[in-house]
Amino acid sequence: MLEAGKKAPDFELPDQNGVMHKLSDYAGKKVILYFYPKDNTPGCTRQACAFAASNAELEEAGAVVIGISKDSVASHQKFVQKQ
C-alpha cells in the first residue's frame, strides 16, 4: 500500500485509445492519480467529469490527471463516447 505523500512506483498502462503511458513520461510535472472501481457508475462518472471540467485549470497549473481502473480499453472508450 502506498502511503500519502510517497512517490508512486513507475507503471505503464493503456489509455482509452490503447496508447501506453508510463508514469515516468510525466517526470517534472504535477501528476494527479485517481483510482476508481468501474467505468459508467454514478460516483465514478461524477468524479471523472469533475476532473474533465477542471482540466484547463489543472493544465495551466502544470498538472496532468490520470484516472486508473481495472476496466478494459473498450470499456474506457465507451465511457468517453457516452460522456
Side-chain angles (χ1 to χ4, degrees), residues 11-21 67 69 71-73 76:
F11 60 82
E12 184 176 30
L13 293 170
D15 66 13
Q16 71 276 9
N17 298 311
V19 176
M20 298 303 286
H21 295 266
S69 83
D71 290 323
S72 68
V73 170
H76 295 328

Side-chain angles (χ1 to χ4, degrees), residues 2-81:
L2 189 63
E3 293 179 34
K6 296 290 183 182
K7 185 176 179 180
D10 198 18
F11 60 82
E12 184 176 30
L13 293 170
D15 66 13
Q16 71 276 9
N17 298 311
V19 176
M20 298 303 286
H21 295 266
K22 290 182 183 179
L23 182 57
S24 58
D25 293 340
Y26 302 96
K29 291 192 173 200
K30 299 171 189 165
V31 177
I32 300 167
L33 280 178
Y34 77 96
F35 297 85
Y36 62 99
K38 188 151 182 61
D39 291 333
N40 290 307
T41 58
C44 296
T45 298
R46 280 192 302 275
Q47 183 181 34
C49 290
F51 278 120
S54 301
N55 197 50
E57 292 172 58
L58 293 167
E59 283 182 351
E60 190 175 302
V64 62
V65 177
I66 301 173
I68 299 173
S69 83
K70 63 179 178 142
D71 290 323
S72 68
V73 170
S75 177
H76 295 328
Q77 188 58 253
K78 287 178 188 175
F79 176 74
V80 169
Q81 291 171 354

